[in-house]
Amino acid sequence: MDILYFAWVRERIGRPRETLDTNAATVAELVEELKSREDRYAAAFSDLSALRVAVNQELTDFDASLEGAREVAFFPPMTGG
Amino acid sequence: MRILVQEDPFDVGEEVSRFSAGHQDVGAVVTFTGVVRDVPEERLKVMEIEHYPGMTESALAEMAATAMDRWSLADALVIHRYGRLAPGEMIMMVGTASKHRKDAFEAAEYLMDFLKSRAPFWKREITARSAQWVAAKDDDENALKRW
């Protein structure tokens, strides 16, 4: 599964993307797995209310299932326009 | 529908002419243009816009298609830039064409409200003093509720 990071999430984690083999069933489980890896992940994911997530390029929430997920992206609230 | 996500500048006049031409039975064309605003206290040097290639295009196309369904529109246009922009440069524009102005105005506002909070762009303001990600505003999130 490809994991993508944007804006300050990318900066905090220190990379724009990575590929991960995971058994996580939901986004929340994936977040827990990432947080347990290193401090910089724990810091980036410390406040989920400040984050948004997309699975396969569709906005979703942290309870979402990862069944069929090829790409998961984490980022702050969007500031377009 | 014309959806463009690009680094290069665009010519607003040219886009409006192109968008307005070629439609019959259209009595109203509304366009909105977003401009990089200076941060006067700090002197903005550059605004950097990051986006999510792939998702950006599909999110914008979905918003435009929803607007076309919901209002009586003959056409919709969304252009959004990314990369490094100087104060005064055009960031983005939306256009809506309809028989009557009410649909064109409302659909343009809808597109703007969704672009603000649901299109995967992130802005960073680089001034002489600092580089800061622009925080999303509660007002922008609340603006979605009326749709």
Side-chain angles (χ1 to χ4, degrees), chain B residues 8-39:
Chain B
D8 292 336
F10 57 90
D11 184 316
V12 177
E14 220 169 79
E15 292 297 339
V16 175
S17 300
R18 182 209 298 254
F19 184 65
S20 308
H23 291 298
Q24 290 177 353
D25 209 21
V26 161
V29 169
V30 165
T31 63
F32 172 88
T33 311
V35 182
V36 179
R37 190 176 50 225
D38 198 359
V39 183

mmCIF file of all heavy atoms in Angstrom, chain B residues 8-39:
data_model
loop_
_atom_site.group_PDB
_atom_site.id
_atom_site.type_symbol
_atom_site.label_atom_id
_atom_site.label_comp_id
_atom_site.label_asym_id
_atom_site.label_seq_id
_atom_site.Cartn_x
_atom_site.Cartn_y
_atom_site.Cartn_z
ATOM 1 N N ASP B 8 1.594 26.871 -14.662
ATOM 2 C CA ASP B 8 1.749 28.091 -15.459
ATOM 3 C C ASP B 8 0.650 29.111 -15.190
ATOM 4 O O ASP B 8 -0.467 28.751 -14.838
ATOM 5 C CB ASP B 8 1.713 27.731 -16.950
ATOM 6 C CG ASP B 8 2.935 26.924 -17.347
ATOM 7 O OD1 ASP B 8 3.965 27.038 -16.654
ATOM 8 O OD2 ASP B 8 2.839 26.163 -18.329
ATOM 9 N N PRO B 9 0.971 30.394 -15.396
ATOM 10 C CA PRO B 9 -0.071 31.424 -15.303
ATOM 11 C C PRO B 9 -1.145 31.203 -16.374
ATOM 12 O O PRO B 9 -0.901 30.510 -17.363
ATOM 13 C CB PRO B 9 0.687 32.718 -15.607
ATOM 14 C CG PRO B 9 2.125 32.409 -15.528
ATOM 15 C CD PRO B 9 2.276 30.940 -15.775
ATOM 16 N N PHE B 10 -2.314 31.790 -16.164
ATOM 17 C CA PHE B 10 -3.354 31.754 -17.206
ATOM 18 C C PHE B 10 -3.802 33.186 -17.454
ATOM 19 O O PHE B 10 -3.618 34.063 -16.598
ATOM 20 C CB PHE B 10 -4.525 30.854 -16.784
ATOM 21 C CG PHE B 10 -5.169 31.244 -15.481
ATOM 22 C CD1 PHE B 10 -6.235 32.137 -15.449
ATOM 23 C CD2 PHE B 10 -4.697 30.735 -14.276
ATOM 24 C CE1 PHE B 10 -6.823 32.509 -14.253
ATOM 25 C CE2 PHE B 10 -5.286 31.105 -13.063
ATOM 26 C CZ PHE B 10 -6.345 32.000 -13.053
ATOM 27 N N ASP B 11 -4.391 33.406 -18.608
ATOM 28 C CA ASP B 11 -4.846 34.737 -18.978
ATOM 29 C C ASP B 11 -6.355 34.812 -18.726
ATOM 30 O O ASP B 11 -7.138 34.163 -19.423
ATOM 31 C CB ASP B 11 -4.516 34.965 -20.466
ATOM 32 C CG ASP B 11 -4.875 36.376 -20.912
ATOM 33 O OD1 ASP B 11 -5.979 36.860 -20.558
ATOM 34 O OD2 ASP B 11 -4.054 36.988 -21.614
ATOM 35 N N VAL B 12 -6.746 35.587 -17.717
ATOM 36 C CA VAL B 12 -8.157 35.630 -17.319
ATOM 37 C C VAL B 12 -9.040 36.065 -18.486
ATOM 38 O O VAL B 12 -10.076 35.451 -18.761
ATOM 39 C CB VAL B 12 -8.376 36.598 -16.135
ATOM 40 C CG1 VAL B 12 -9.854 36.682 -15.785
ATOM 41 C CG2 VAL B 12 -7.589 36.157 -14.922
ATOM 42 N N GLY B 13 -8.609 37.123 -19.203
ATOM 43 C CA GLY B 13 -9.408 37.638 -20.314
ATOM 44 C C GLY B 13 -9.634 36.580 -21.384
ATOM 45 O O GLY B 13 -10.755 36.384 -21.863
ATOM 46 N N GLU B 14 -8.551 35.900 -21.710
ATOM 47 C CA GLU B 14 -8.634 34.853 -22.732
ATOM 48 C C GLU B 14 -9.575 33.726 -22.284
ATOM 49 O O GLU B 14 -10.381 33.217 -23.063
ATOM 50 C CB GLU B 14 -7.233 34.271 -22.921
ATOM 51 C CG GLU B 14 -6.850 33.968 -24.338
ATOM 52 C CD GLU B 14 -5.354 33.663 -24.381
ATOM 53 O OE1 GLU B 14 -4.981 32.521 -24.019
ATOM 54 O OE2 GLU B 14 -4.579 34.571 -24.749
ATOM 55 N N GLU B 15 -9.458 33.364 -21.003
ATOM 56 C CA GLU B 15 -10.297 32.275 -20.486
ATOM 57 C C GLU B 15 -11.772 32.680 -20.472
ATOM 58 O O GLU B 15 -12.640 31.883 -20.805
ATOM 59 C CB GLU B 15 -9.846 31.859 -19.077
ATOM 60 C CG GLU B 15 -8.488 31.183 -19.029
ATOM 61 C CD GLU B 15 -8.444 29.863 -19.805
ATOM 62 O OE1 GLU B 15 -9.508 29.262 -20.046
ATOM 63 O OE2 GLU B 15 -7.328 29.464 -20.178
ATOM 64 N N VAL B 16 -12.053 33.920 -20.082
ATOM 65 C CA VAL B 16 -13.445 34.380 -20.052
ATOM 66 C C VAL B 16 -14.016 34.404 -21.468
ATOM 67 O O VAL B 16 -15.145 33.952 -21.703
ATOM 68 C CB VAL B 16 -13.575 35.769 -19.387
ATOM 69 C CG1 VAL B 16 -15.014 36.285 -19.477
ATOM 70 C CG2 VAL B 16 -13.145 35.714 -17.928
ATOM 71 N N SER B 17 -13.221 34.905 -22.419
ATOM 72 C CA SER B 17 -13.688 34.953 -23.825
ATOM 73 C C SER B 17 -13.973 33.558 -24.347
ATOM 74 O O SER B 17 -15.005 33.303 -24.955
ATOM 75 C CB SER B 17 -12.632 35.603 -24.724
ATOM 76 O OG SER B 17 -12.381 36.898 -24.278
ATOM 77 N N ARG B 18 -13.048 32.652 -24.073
ATOM 78 C CA ARG B 18 -13.209 31.289 -24.562
ATOM 79 C C ARG B 18 -14.437 30.637 -23.936
ATOM 80 O O ARG B 18 -15.219 29.956 -24.596
ATOM 81 C CB ARG B 18 -11.960 30.474 -24.205
ATOM 82 C CG ARG B 18 -11.993 29.037 -24.707
ATOM 83 C CD ARG B 18 -11.182 28.140 -23.798
ATOM 84 N NE ARG B 18 -9.785 28.544 -23.788
ATOM 85 C CZ ARG B 18 -8.824 27.861 -24.418
ATOM 86 N NH1 ARG B 18 -9.118 26.774 -25.086
ATOM 87 N NH2 ARG B 18 -7.581 28.269 -24.357
ATOM 88 N N PHE B 19 -14.593 30.885 -22.622
ATOM 89 C CA PHE B 19 -15.687 30.258 -21.884
ATOM 90 C C PHE B 19 -17.040 30.807 -22.324
ATOM 91 O O PHE B 19 -18.027 30.077 -22.429
ATOM 92 C CB PHE B 19 -15.476 30.495 -20.380
ATOM 93 C CG PHE B 19 -16.479 29.815 -19.505
ATOM 94 C CD1 PHE B 19 -16.548 28.433 -19.446
ATOM 95 C CD2 PHE B 19 -17.366 30.549 -18.740
ATOM 96 C CE1 PHE B 19 -17.469 27.800 -18.636
ATOM 97 C CE2 PHE B 19 -18.296 29.927 -17.934
ATOM 98 C CZ PHE B 19 -18.341 28.548 -17.886
ATOM 99 N N SER B 20 -17.081 32.123 -22.602
ATOM 100 C CA SER B 20 -18.351 32.764 -22.957
ATOM 101 C C SER B 20 -18.774 32.443 -24.384
ATOM 102 O O SER B 20 -19.960 32.415 -24.693
ATOM 103 C CB SER B 20 -18.230 34.284 -22.815
ATOM 104 O OG SER B 20 -17.734 34.604 -21.541
ATOM 105 N N ALA B 21 -17.777 32.233 -25.249
ATOM 106 C CA ALA B 21 -18.080 31.970 -26.660
ATOM 107 C C ALA B 21 -18.589 30.541 -26.836
ATOM 108 O O ALA B 21 -18.352 29.683 -25.999
ATOM 109 C CB ALA B 21 -16.840 32.189 -27.499
ATOM 110 N N GLY B 22 -19.289 30.326 -27.889
ATOM 111 C CA GLY B 22 -19.648 28.961 -28.248
ATOM 112 C C GLY B 22 -20.844 28.401 -27.503
ATOM 113 O O GLY B 22 -21.104 27.209 -27.557
ATOM 114 N N HIS B 23 -21.528 29.247 -26.736
ATOM 115 C CA HIS B 23 -22.752 28.768 -26.100
ATOM 116 C C HIS B 23 -23.928 29.543 -26.641
ATOM 117 O O HIS B 23 -23.900 30.769 -26.661
ATOM 118 C CB HIS B 23 -22.707 28.999 -24.593
ATOM 119 C CG HIS B 23 -21.700 28.140 -23.912
ATOM 120 N ND1 HIS B 23 -21.761 26.776 -23.916
ATOM 121 C CD2 HIS B 23 -20.588 28.453 -23.223
ATOM 122 C CE1 HIS B 23 -20.736 26.285 -23.255
ATOM 123 N NE2 HIS B 23 -20.001 27.287 -22.828
ATOM 124 N N GLN B 24 -24.968 28.817 -27.020
ATOM 125 C CA GLN B 24 -26.201 29.499 -27.350
ATOM 126 C C GLN B 24 -27.139 29.311 -26.179
ATOM 127 O O GLN B 24 -26.940 28.413 -25.376
ATOM 128 C CB GLN B 24 -26.774 28.906 -28.634
ATOM 129 C CG GLN B 24 -25.877 29.308 -29.791
ATOM 130 C CD GLN B 24 -26.299 28.728 -31.104
ATOM 131 O OE1 GLN B 24 -27.206 27.906 -31.164
ATOM 132 N NE2 GLN B 24 -25.649 29.169 -32.159
ATOM 133 N N ASP B 25 -28.100 30.179 -26.070
ATOM 134 C CA ASP B 25 -29.069 30.037 -24.990
ATOM 135 C C ASP B 25 -28.444 30.296 -23.616
ATOM 136 O O ASP B 25 -28.908 29.769 -22.609
ATOM 137 C CB ASP B 25 -29.686 28.621 -25.021
ATOM 138 C CG ASP B 25 -31.099 28.644 -24.466
ATOM 139 O OD1 ASP B 25 -31.694 29.732 -24.451
ATOM 140 O OD2 ASP B 25 -31.582 27.576 -24.046
ATOM 141 N N VAL B 26 -27.341 31.037 -23.581
ATOM 142 C CA VAL B 26 -26.732 31.419 -22.303
ATOM 143 C C VAL B 26 -26.915 32.912 -22.118
ATOM 144 O O VAL B 26 -26.539 33.702 -22.985
ATOM 145 C CB VAL B 26 -25.232 31.056 -22.282
ATOM 146 C CG1 VAL B 26 -24.497 31.841 -21.205
ATOM 147 C CG2 VAL B 26 -25.070 29.558 -22.030
ATOM 148 N N GLY B 27 -27.512 33.291 -21.004
ATOM 149 C CA GLY B 27 -27.723 34.716 -20.756
ATOM 150 C C GLY B 27 -26.844 35.260 -19.657
ATOM 151 O O GLY B 27 -26.835 36.460 -19.391
ATOM 152 N N ALA B 28 -26.112 34.361 -18.974
ATOM 153 C CA ALA B 28 -25.325 34.805 -17.819
ATOM 154 C C ALA B 28 -24.032 34.020 -17.722
ATOM 155 O O ALA B 28 -24.032 32.789 -17.770
ATOM 156 C CB ALA B 28 -26.136 34.604 -16.539
ATOM 157 N N VAL B 29 -22.929 34.748 -17.618
ATOM 158 C CA VAL B 29 -21.641 34.115 -17.340
ATOM 159 C C VAL B 29 -21.091 34.787 -16.091
ATOM 160 O O VAL B 29 -20.942 36.006 -16.046
ATOM 161 C CB VAL B 29 -20.651 34.264 -18.522
ATOM 162 C CG1 VAL B 29 -19.253 33.836 -18.108
ATOM 163 C CG2 VAL B 29 -21.128 33.447 -19.714
ATOM 164 N N VAL B 30 -20.833 33.989 -15.060
ATOM 165 C CA VAL B 30 -20.227 34.508 -13.827
ATOM 166 C C VAL B 30 -18.823 33.941 -13.724
ATOM 167 O O VAL B 30 -18.621 32.742 -13.929
ATOM 168 C CB VAL B 30 -21.057 34.100 -12.582
ATOM 169 C CG1 VAL B 30 -20.262 34.312 -11.300
ATOM 170 C CG2 VAL B 30 -22.350 34.898 -12.525
ATOM 171 N N THR B 31 -17.848 34.794 -13.444
ATOM 172 C CA THR B 31 -16.497 34.278 -13.185
ATOM 173 C C THR B 31 -15.974 34.883 -11.888
ATOM 174 O O THR B 31 -16.325 35.991 -11.513
ATOM 175 C CB THR B 31 -15.501 34.603 -14.320
ATOM 176 O OG1 THR B 31 -15.355 36.010 -14.417
ATOM 177 C CG2 THR B 31 -15.946 34.038 -15.640
ATOM 178 N N PHE B 32 -15.170 34.107 -11.209
ATOM 179 C CA PHE B 32 -14.498 34.577 -9.999
ATOM 180 C C PHE B 32 -13.016 34.284 -10.169
ATOM 181 O O PHE B 32 -12.642 33.209 -10.643
ATOM 182 C CB PHE B 32 -15.031 33.840 -8.763
ATOM 183 C CG PHE B 32 -14.243 34.153 -7.527
ATOM 184 C CD1 PHE B 32 -14.576 35.242 -6.739
ATOM 185 C CD2 PHE B 32 -13.132 33.379 -7.170
ATOM 186 C CE1 PHE B 32 -13.823 35.555 -5.611
ATOM 187 C CE2 PHE B 32 -12.386 33.689 -6.046
ATOM 188 C CZ PHE B 32 -12.732 34.775 -5.270
ATOM 189 N N THR B 33 -12.182 35.234 -9.781
ATOM 190 C CA THR B 33 -10.742 35.029 -9.869
ATOM 191 C C THR B 33 -10.120 35.223 -8.495
ATOM 192 O O THR B 33 -10.395 36.214 -7.820
ATOM 193 C CB THR B 33 -10.114 36.053 -10.838
ATOM 194 O OG1 THR B 33 -10.871 36.051 -12.041
ATOM 195 C CG2 THR B 33 -8.679 35.694 -11.149
ATOM 196 N N GLY B 34 -9.305 34.270 -8.074
ATOM 197 C CA GLY B 34 -8.595 34.379 -6.792
ATOM 198 C C GLY B 34 -7.184 34.882 -7.036
ATOM 199 O O GLY B 34 -6.500 34.434 -7.962
ATOM 200 N N VAL B 35 -6.762 35.835 -6.202
ATOM 201 C CA VAL B 35 -5.466 36.501 -6.389
ATOM 202 C C VAL B 35 -4.624 36.305 -5.129
ATOM 203 O O VAL B 35 -5.157 36.305 -4.023
ATOM 204 C CB VAL B 35 -5.702 38.017 -6.631
ATOM 205 C CG1 VAL B 35 -4.389 38.741 -6.886
ATOM 206 C CG2 VAL B 35 -6.669 38.226 -7.786
ATOM 207 N N VAL B 36 -3.319 36.141 -5.291
ATOM 208 C CA VAL B 36 -2.425 36.023 -4.129
ATOM 209 C C VAL B 36 -2.398 37.356 -3.395
ATOM 210 O O VAL B 36 -2.010 38.380 -3.954
ATOM 211 C CB VAL B 36 -0.985 35.662 -4.545
ATOM 212 C CG1 VAL B 36 -0.090 35.566 -3.304
ATOM 213 C CG2 VAL B 36 -0.969 34.362 -5.332
ATOM 214 N N ARG B 37 -2.846 37.333 -2.137
ATOM 215 C CA ARG B 37 -2.923 38.550 -1.346
ATOM 216 C C ARG B 37 -1.623 38.753 -0.570
ATOM 217 O O ARG B 37 -1.056 37.791 -0.041
ATOM 218 C CB ARG B 37 -4.100 38.401 -0.367
ATOM 219 C CG ARG B 37 -4.461 39.673 0.375
ATOM 220 C CD ARG B 37 -5.697 39.454 1.232
ATOM 221 N NE ARG B 37 -5.582 38.262 2.050
ATOM 222 C CZ ARG B 37 -6.535 37.362 2.213
ATOM 223 N NH1 ARG B 37 -7.692 37.492 1.618
ATOM 224 N NH2 ARG B 37 -6.357 36.312 2.988
ATOM 225 N N ASP B 38 -1.180 39.976 -0.489
ATOM 226 C CA ASP B 38 0.038 40.281 0.277
ATOM 227 C C ASP B 38 -0.252 40.132 1.771
ATOM 228 O O ASP B 38 -1.403 40.179 2.201
ATOM 229 C CB ASP B 38 0.486 41.717 -0.027
ATOM 230 C CG ASP B 38 1.949 41.959 0.361
ATOM 231 O OD1 ASP B 38 2.588 41.020 0.876
ATOM 232 O OD2 ASP B 38 2.434 43.071 0.143
ATOM 233 N N VAL B 39 0.777 39.901 2.543
ATOM 234 C CA VAL B 39 0.660 39.927 4.003
ATOM 235 C C VAL B 39 1.379 41.207 4.417
ATOM 236 O O VAL B 39 2.589 41.211 4.596
ATOM 237 C CB VAL B 39 1.334 38.691 4.640
ATOM 238 C CG1 VAL B 39 1.142 38.677 6.146
ATOM 239 C CG2 VAL B 39 0.795 37.412 4.017
#
